[in-house]
Amino acid sequence: MKQTWEEEVVYQIYPRSFCDSNGDGVGDIPGIISKLDYLASLGVKILWLSPIYKSPLFDMGYDVADYYSIHEQMGTMEDFDRLFSESKKRGMKIVMDLVVNHTSNEHEWFKRALRGEAPYHDYYVFRKGKKKGVPPNNWTSMFTGPAWEYVPELDEWYLHLYDAAQPDLNWHNPAVKEEVKKILRFYLDKGVYGFRCDVINQIYKESYANGKGLNASGKGMEHYLSTEGNHRILQELYRDVFSAYPDHVVIGETLNVDIPTGERFLRDHELDMFFTFEHMNVDKALGGGIMKKFRPEKLRKVLFDYQQGVRWNAIYFENHDQLRSLPRFGNTKEYRDISAKALATLLLTLKGTPFIYQGQELGMLNAPGRDVDESLDCACRSIYKLLRKSLHIPTGLAKKMACNFDRDRCRAPMAWNEERGLGFTSGKAWLPFAEDDGTHNVASEEKSEDSVLAYYRKLIRLRRERIELHAGEFDPLDTRGSLFAYRRVSGKDSVLIMINLYAKPLALPRYLQSVHGKVLLQNYSGKLEGSLPPYGAAIIALE
Ligand code: GLC
C-alpha cells in the first residue's frame, strides 16, 4: 500500500505564531481550525504541529510539563479533538511533535525525582560528581555550557543535553519506555497520524565517558548519537506500538546522520523518514555564528548525495529552528518572488516528503534582528553567554553573532493580511513581525495568479498528479557548475527539472538546450531557450 507520506506534502504549523483567535497575542488551536480551509486549498494533506502540550515555555514547548494536557494558551483537549475532526473532514492528517529526549523540569516526574522519590528518580539521569563541585563528565549541552546541573539536596548531578530546564530522560529504564508507549497510544488512538520525533537519535546514552574534542556544544555526542541502543528502542516502539496502526508515520529529527546510518533508520521501520542538517550548514561558519556567502553548488552536492544515498528523506529548507531560506538561498531584493519560486521548485521536486514551514508558501522573511536581551529564545541567550564569557568576544560582535542564532526571527507571526496585527492577532503579537511587515501576506497573494502562493499551489498539485514527481527515482544530470538539473523517472516516463539559484543568467549545457518535452511549470515568462534567467526554474515532461 502506498503511504500518504510518500505522496503528499507536509505543512509545519508553529502554533504560537500561526493564528490567534482570542486576541492574547499568541496563536492557538481555534486559530488553526479557522485556517483549515486555507490549508486545504493549498493542497497539503499532512499538518505537523510543533508542541502544544502544557509547558512552562522555557524552550517554547520543547519542554513538556504534561504530555496529556494542552497548554492553556493553545486551548483545551476538546479544541484539539475538534481540530482533529475538522482536519479529517478536509482530508488532512495531524502529526504531533514528540519531545521525549527530555521533559520540562516542571514535569511531575522530575519534581518527584528531585525529591529522590522512587520510581521517578530513575526516570532521569542522576550521577555523583567526579569530586566536589565537578560534574560526572565533561559533556557540554547542545545549547552550550555544561550538560550537568547540581542538586545540593541529593548531592547529585542530572544530565541535560539541552537547557538545565530540560532534564534528559533515562532511556535505560524500561519504565520510561512504557511511559512513552502510553503517550504514543493515547494520541494514535485519538486518530493522530504520527509523530515528528524531536532529537530522536540522542535519546540512548551508550556510556557516560568523557567526550573528545573541543566542542563548545554537544561535546560527548560520540557516546549518544545514533547508538545501537537507540536503534533497538525505535525497533521496539515499532513492534509494540506503531505496527498496530498500519496508517502511520514516524519522522525523526536526527543530528549528524550520514547516509549509511540514515538508511539503517529506514531499514527496520525505525523511522519512515528523517531530517538531516548537513544542507542547512552549507552557508554557515563557526557553528552558525557567521553566515558565509551561499554557494548553490555546495547545497546541490549535499542534497544530491542524500538523494542518491537514501531511499527516502524529509526535505525541508526551513523550520522553527532555522532562519528563513529565502534570505539565505534566494534573493530578497530584485528577485524575491522568482527566487522563492525557484526554491519551491527544488523543495517539491526532490525525492522524499517535502515540508513547508508556515509562511514559506508566501515567501516570508525573518523578523529583523534585535538585541539579545529581548530574545525569548533560550538557545540564543545561552550562546551569547558563551561568546561573551568563555570566548571573550567583544559585546558588539557577540550580539551580531547571537542574532544569527535567534530563533525568534523565523518564528515571526504568519502574515494573513495587511491590517494591524496582520490578521494574526487583534492584540499585541508575542513576537515581532517579519522584516517586510507583512507586504507578502495571504490575502494579497490570493489575489494574484503570479504570487509565490499561487506557484506553491500549482506545484503541490503537479507533484501529486505526476507519479514521477512523488514516486520517481532521482537521476542527477548535471553535477558540475551551478545548475541544478535532474530527472525524476518512473518506468518510461520522466520529468526534467532545471533550476538556477544565481542572480545571473545561466547558459544550459548543449544536451539540455535541445530537450523535447512539454513545460509543466516554470517560474518566469518567456520561452525556454539556451539559458535560464536569474533564479529561473522549469519542470518539463520529457518526450
Ligand atoms: C529540537 C527542536 C528545537 C528544540 C530542541 C530541544 O531541535 O526543534 O526547537 O529547542 O529540539 O528540544
Side-chain angles (χ1 to χ4, degrees), residues 327-401:
R328 290 176 68 178
F329 303 153
N331 184 308
T332 53
K333 297 192 178 82
E334 63 270 49
Y335 300 112
R336 176 163 174 183
D337 282 9
I338 190 175
S339 67
K341 293 174 190 172
L343 288 167
T345 311
L346 183 61
L347 180 77
L348 282 134
T349 59
L350 288 172
K351 184 182 72 175
T353 303
F355 283 67
I356 297 171
Y357 175 52
Q358 65 182 48
Q360 187 172 3
E361 77 277 21
L362 308 174
M364 247 182 94
L365 306 179
N366 298 304
R370 56 180 179 167
D371 200 279
V372 63
D373 300 327
E374 290 175 281
S375 175
L376 302 180
D377 177 11
C378 59
C380 167
R381 291 193 309 265
S382 162
I383 290 166
Y384 178 71
K385 216 153 73 188
L386 170 93
L387 296 172
R388 282 290 301 124
K389 297 217 171 112
S390 310
L391 303 178
H392 308 292
I393 294 185
T395 314
L397 180 58
K399 284 198 168 174
K400 214 163 143 203
M401 288 171 79

Side-chain angles (χ1 to χ4, degrees), residues 415-480:
W416 295 101
N417 58 41
E418 266 153 6
E419 289 161 24
R420 218 182 119 254
L422 304 188
F424 164 71
T425 184
S426 58
K428 183 172 173 358
W430 73 292
L431 280 182
F433 293 122
E435 252 162 56
D436 64 356
D437 239 345
T439 54
H440 276 56
N441 62 66
V442 174
S444 67
E445 295 202 28
E446 296 229 283
K447 287 190 207 122
S448 156
E449 255 311 288
D450 216 21
S451 63
V452 179
L453 176 59
Y455 190 82
Y456 263 90
R457 284 200 169 115
K458 287 180 207 153
L459 251 178
I460 293 169
R461 200 175 325 123
L462 185 63
R463 185 180 181 279
R464 180 174 309 119
E465 282 165 9
R466 302 292 306 207
I467 187 168
E468 304 94 318
L469 290 180
H470 62 254
E473 288 307 317
F474 174 83
D475 178 27
L477 288 180
D478 222 71
T479 52
R480 288 158 306 147

Side-chain angles (χ1 to χ4, degrees), residues 12 14 48 50-51 59-63 97 99 101-102 142-143 161-163 166 196-199 202 253 255 277 319-321 377-379 407 411:
Q12 181 190 356
Y14 190 70
W48 152 32
S50 278
D59 190 13
M60 292 310 148
Y62 285 90
D63 47 334
D97 221 302
V99 190
N101 173 68
H102 43 267
M142 304 303 295
F143 290 162
L161 291 187
Y162 289 83
D163 196 88
Q166 296 164 295
R196 172 270 188 189
C197 308
D198 193 62
V199 297
Q202 309 187 333
E253 186 204 21
L255 198 71
F277 287 78
N319 61 30
H320 63 292
D321 291 330
D377 177 11
C378 59
R407 297 177 298 174
R411 298 171 179 179

